[in-house]
Amino acid sequence: MTKSICYLSIAFLILVSCNSKYKYNFEKSEHGVTIHQDSLNINVEIIDDAIIHVNKILNTSTPSTIPDYVTVLEPQKVDWELKEASDRITISTNLVKIFVNSDGTITYNTKDGKDLLAETNERTFINSEEEGKEHNVSQGFQAGDEGLYGLGQFQSGIMNWKNVPIRLQQYNQEIAIPFLVSTKGYGIYWHNYSLTDFNNPENEIVFDSKAEVNNNSEDAIAPVDGEKENVAAYAAKEAAEKNIRETTFTPTKTGEYTFLALSDNNGRMRGNINVSIDGDSVINYSTIWMPRRYSGKKHLEAGKAYKVIFQNTGAKIPGKLFYNEPDFNKTVFSSTKGNAIDYYFVYGANPGEVISNYQELTGKAPMFSKKSYGFWQCRERYHNQEELLENAREMRDRNIPVDNIVQDWFYWPKGTKGPEWDRAKYPDPDAMVDELTKLNLNLMVSVWPEVKNKPLEEKYGLTKIESSNYIDIYDKKVSEQFYRSLSDSMFHKGVKSIWLDGTEPEGVRDTKVSTAVGPYEEVQNAYSLEVTRAMYEGRREEFPNERVFNLTRSAYAGQQRYGATSWSGDVAGTWEQFAEQIPAGLNFTMAGVPYWTHDIGGFFRDSKSLNPIYDSQYTNPEYIELLTRWFQFGAFSPIFRIHGYVSETEIWRYNKDFETTARKFIDTRYKLMPYIYSEAWKVTTQGKLMMSPLVYHYPNDKNTWGIKDQFFFGESLMICNVTEYQQRQKEIYLPEGIWYNFWTGKKVKAKGEITVETPLDETPIFVKAGSILPIGPKVQFATEFTKDPIEIVVYPGADGEYVVYFDDNESYNYENKTYSEVVFTYSDADKTLKVTKGVDNYVVFEDLPKEFLIHTVDQGRAERIYFQGEETTIQF
């Protein structure tokens, strides 16, 4: 790719003489070395002390001209040294050592010799561009005693990716981000935009029985109300042929086997894929959107005969089941296109540091407006202007805190698709937005990069990718004009953000076509990245004082820098899919993109919305309990948003108990807004995560490696989710330290598993000792002015420090240091809290003192202070 695989600058090349100790000729430059090894050129580029870029290309190949869409960090001025021996070159920075061995493999150590990562020639190759080969380039690494995380969002329920085979391909509900983080203190960014297989499996379980596949090409349900784009119009009828096969499998080794089921050669809608082993479900999907490949894992005993049943209902092929054995112990990236092995090694002392360094390479996430962290009222859909306004007014009349309301699709003129208002349904969008603004509500509108509107296409010059209605976003002029079409119809009417739906994109029927920069197959996984770039750059230029927030269904490496949040797609309202959202979101954020959300309650909810499990979402007690638990999860997700297909999702439409609990969690979210906003500041400035798995904080505690129903919200709150129907007690894991029950303030000293009560109106939340929580007053929207003080709650048992952040909530002036900070530092030995001023270029505390109520969690009396910028000490 253009920037990333260019050869080291000729101006700095120093040709090593024939007296070199090393086996091969190499050239040293200011930022690295190029090694000429037989037919292969190996380029090792030092980006900074922690980031190393490796590119391997055949000396007969020409570097790709595809642009580098992902990395933004140019090589820095770094002190490094090179030593050579006959069998290897050693490159040392202040943090890592890189050994380039004579067999072409590269090994990475810390500066003090701790093993981090080692390449292997096994599963490593560069193929010439020939038809029929599944992969063109592949790089294998050794995988040791470690947990591996990231790679994007997948619906398998798997937390730790070690040895697991996955297809990295964008699809509704699945997001491919080729960045991996290890508990050992490194990350790998695989720099290839084509379809990529991770740990492509080596073995296959063969089924002898004959399959009955779905050969019906006319299986679509008739369009509803003539709206051919309605989801129901695409959903296939349930296949009569169940396509079930079985066999016996006898493993030769004991341990955890990992599986990959190839279901179909193309994505499809509706079906069921299930792989069970001796009755235990290993892979199970029964959602409307069905991808091509599915992952699972199970512990098996050597020599034992297992009954394997493979159901692949609705597929056009019988399907195949592959596996890796327990001693696979490799990390392998294999891409279908490309002529070079291209990756970045990223070092960090812990996963948090790795991700922060990776964001130095690919860009930090900017701040969203404060209102973006509030509640989002969303449904499929408001059908006209008055219906949307009626519900907005009622939210305010009922005193339900909310900051944002969303217009889903089909606001456009009938028979078209694109950013244009149907004036029969929305007669005055300007007046609609004006009223919403008076209600202190921001409006987000759904816009797809798929356009079916000839006048609009011609007006803005929206060239499409051949065989689809998706615009050629890789064409700079087209991307600029796509932004212009949105701005004219949305932003100039006061719309604050865009819901960029369908950005995978799934609708390119012929992937052999070309784009403005080259073959579509070579760039297809990065489509969403370029859509969000066009929106971010266009809006920042045109509205420089308004922060960008966009919601999108896909993502790619580097997308965090473009003011976007991804959501988990059209998931089903089931307990199983609810439970899967948690590890899906955690691995998404561990892939370096910190903002993520989901449809609270699921998209497909009941019999009227393509989910036959529940008769009515509004009255079915099991569904309402599912919605309650999902709502609790949503309140502690980075973005807090409800949504549902053919649904009226307003919280008063369910029973009173649900509404009461929903109000409780909305109020809790808003009371935590000073904490949430301060955590967002750390996301932007330090590369932290707002939602992170326990392993992010405790990588050396192996008990955390597989935990997928607990996570941290910010640095202090550990959320423990209830994911089973009528579960009123739950086993949770407490890492080392002292913990406090968030709801009761009760101290818990135990380390390890404990049993906690889980009444339906609560989800277990624990606060670690040393935390300092800023808690605000009850408000109706995030930026509501109130004279009430911020409460500062200290959790004793360890030293702690917390920085409470203030700015204007809306602009990018923080980039010029127009913000203020109050620093709270707690000494557990002295039982004192020191309050000091950080940066103060916004509030100016001397002129506008801040009022705080300060107390420990176990102390009833609070001390009130008016902070004017001078150091203050509170004695507890």
Side-chain angles (χ1 to χ4, degrees), residues 377 382 388 391-392 403-407 436 441-444:
Q377 173 55 41
Y382 297 112
L388 187 149
N391 282 276
D403 274 276
N404 311 275
I405 194 165
V406 183
Q407 176 60 56
L436 292 173
L441 284 169
N442 284 349
L443 177 64
M444 179 168 73

Side-chain angles (χ1 to χ4, degrees), residues 665-736:
F665 277 81
I666 293 173
D667 285 341
T668 300
R669 173 82 176 199
Y670 277 86
K671 290 179 71 175
L672 285 169
M673 193 58 69
Y675 170 76
I676 293 168
Y677 203 57
S678 299
E679 292 298 303
W681 178 236
K682 288 188 282 190
V683 170
T684 294
T685 55
Q686 300 176 37
K688 298 289 188 181
L689 298 182
M690 188 173 287
M691 175 184 178
S692 56
L694 270 61
V695 70
Y696 175 87
H697 303 267
Y698 302 95
N700 297 322
D701 182 350
K702 290 186 180 182
N703 293 307
T704 70
W705 287 12
I707 292 177
K708 57 185 180 181
D709 57 358
Q710 297 176 221
F711 66 91
F712 274 81
F713 184 60
E715 71 173 38
S716 300
L717 298 178
M718 185 172 67
I719 315 300
C720 309
N721 297 277
V722 180
T723 58
E724 296 178 17
Y725 183 41
Q726 295 183 334
Q727 186 178 19
R728 299 297 181 260
Q729 285 188 330
K730 181 178 177 66
E731 296 289 323
I732 68 160
Y733 180 76
L734 292 180
E736 189 172 1

Side-chain angles (χ1 to χ4, degrees), residues 555-664:
Y556 198 70
Q559 191 161 304
Q560 70 277 356
R561 69 178 182 264
Y562 291 140
T565 291
S566 296
W567 96 98
S568 62
D570 299 344
V571 300
T574 65
W575 288 99
E576 183 177 34
Q577 272 229 288
F578 165 47
E580 289 167 351
Q581 299 320 293
I582 304 167
L586 294 173
N587 270 311
F588 180 89
T589 62
M590 288 291 278
V593 185
Y595 288 111
W596 176 86
T597 186
H598 46 93
D599 293 349
I600 291 173
F603 186 62
F604 301 113
R605 291 165 163 241
D606 62 14
S607 59
K608 296 180 178 62
S609 62
L610 298 178
N611 183 356
I613 295 175
Y614 305 112
D615 50 357
S616 170
Q617 61 179 295
Y618 309 107
T619 59
N620 185 287
E622 183 176 349
Y623 179 79
I624 292 174
E625 181 163 332
L626 170 64
L627 178 62
T628 302
R629 294 304 193 188
W630 209 319
F631 202 93
Q632 293 164 354
F633 171 48
F636 296 97
S637 297
I639 300 299
F640 182 21
R641 169 184 160 272
I642 196 168
H643 189 49
Y645 177 58
V646 193
S647 300
E648 297 180 350
T649 60
E650 294 78 19
I651 64 171
W652 64 83
R653 301 190 187 279
Y654 303 84
N655 66 30
K656 190 62 180 177
D657 287 343
F658 170 74
E659 181 179 344
T660 299
T661 301
R663 285 178 177 273
K664 173 182 177 177

Side-chain angles (χ1 to χ4, degrees), residues 832-843:
T832 59
L833 182 73
K834 185 167 64 175
V835 188
T836 56
K837 180 176 69 173
V839 174
D840 185 23
N841 297 325
Y842 172 67
V843 175

Side-chain angles (χ1 to χ4, degrees), residues 135-393:
H135 302 105
N136 277 355
V137 294
S138 181
Q139 176 65 60
F141 303 89
Q142 297 174 20
D145 185 15
E146 59 191 311
L148 299 172
Y149 307 91
L151 296 180
Q153 168 198 286
F154 300 91
Q155 301 294 330
S156 61
I158 294 173
M159 191 68 232
N160 180 355
W161 294 125
K162 184 187 173 186
N163 291 348
V164 177
I166 314 169
R167 164 58 67 94
L168 300 182
Q169 179 173 8
Q170 313 293 11
Y171 193 69
N172 190 339
Q173 300 187 44
E174 301 206 337
I175 297 175
I177 303 173
F179 176 64
L180 188 73
V181 182
S182 169
T183 53
K184 292 177 69 174
Y186 70 84
I188 302 169
Y189 162 54
W190 180 252
H191 195 39
N192 188 303
Y193 308 144
S194 71
L195 301 186
T196 296
D197 286 306
F198 179 78
N199 293 342
N200 199 39
E202 297 179 323
N203 311 284
E204 181 179 358
I205 294 177
V206 177
F207 294 84
D208 297 326
S209 56
K210 183 179 179 182
E212 295 178 329
V213 300
N214 178 21
N215 294 313
N216 185 4
S217 59
E218 303 294 332
D219 57 357
I221 291 174
V224 176
D225 298 329
E227 294 182 340
K228 295 182 179 180
E229 304 272 347
N230 196 305
V231 175
Y234 279 123
K237 297 175 183 177
E238 286 199 61
E241 304 85 2
K242 298 304 179 185
N243 191 2
I244 299 174
R245 294 173 294 157
E246 63 180 68
T247 191
T248 299
F249 174 61
T250 304
T252 59
K253 300 169 184 175
T254 295
E256 186 175 73
Y257 283 71
T258 55
F259 298 90
L260 182 76
L262 169 60
S263 172
D264 219 333
N265 293 321
N266 296 294
R268 67 182 191 277
M269 295 194 71
R270 185 167 278 172
N272 185 287
I273 178 167
N274 184 281
V275 176
S276 66
I277 300 179
D278 273 6
D280 293 336
S281 183
V282 177
I283 295 171
N284 184 37
Y285 273 58
S286 58
T287 66
I288 293 298
W289 293 95
M290 305 293 292
R292 298 154 178 82
R293 289 166 171 81
Y294 307 81
S295 304
K297 56 174 148 179
K298 182 176 173 58
H299 182 91
L300 302 178
E301 299 290 333
K304 180 180 177 180
Y306 291 88
K307 182 179 181 180
V308 181
I309 300 176
F310 182 12
Q311 177 180 352
N312 193 23
T313 303
K316 298 292 192 293
I317 63 173
K320 294 185 176 184
L321 183 61
F322 304 96
Y323 67 94
N324 285 325
E325 293 183 315
D327 58 356
F328 180 76
N329 290 336
K330 290 182 284 293
T331 295
V332 185
F333 289 91
S334 307
S335 293
T336 56
K337 297 296 173 183
N339 67 350
I341 291 169
D342 195 351
Y343 72 89
Y344 289 78
F345 166 88
V346 183
Y347 169 72
N350 52 60
E353 193 172 300
V354 172
I355 291 170
S356 181
N357 289 337
Y358 166 75
Q359 289 188 357
E360 291 293 338
L361 174 68
T362 61
K364 291 283 197 290
M367 291 283 285
F368 295 141
S369 72
K370 197 171 193 177
K371 292 179 75 66
S372 300
Y373 302 103
F375 182 50
W376 291 76
Q377 173 55 41
C378 185
R379 77 187 206 192
E380 197 286 327
R381 67 195 185 275
Y382 297 112
H383 296 80
N384 54 62
Q385 178 172 326
E386 186 54 32
E387 184 181 26
L388 187 149
L389 289 173
E390 282 178 0
N391 282 276
R393 296 176 197 125

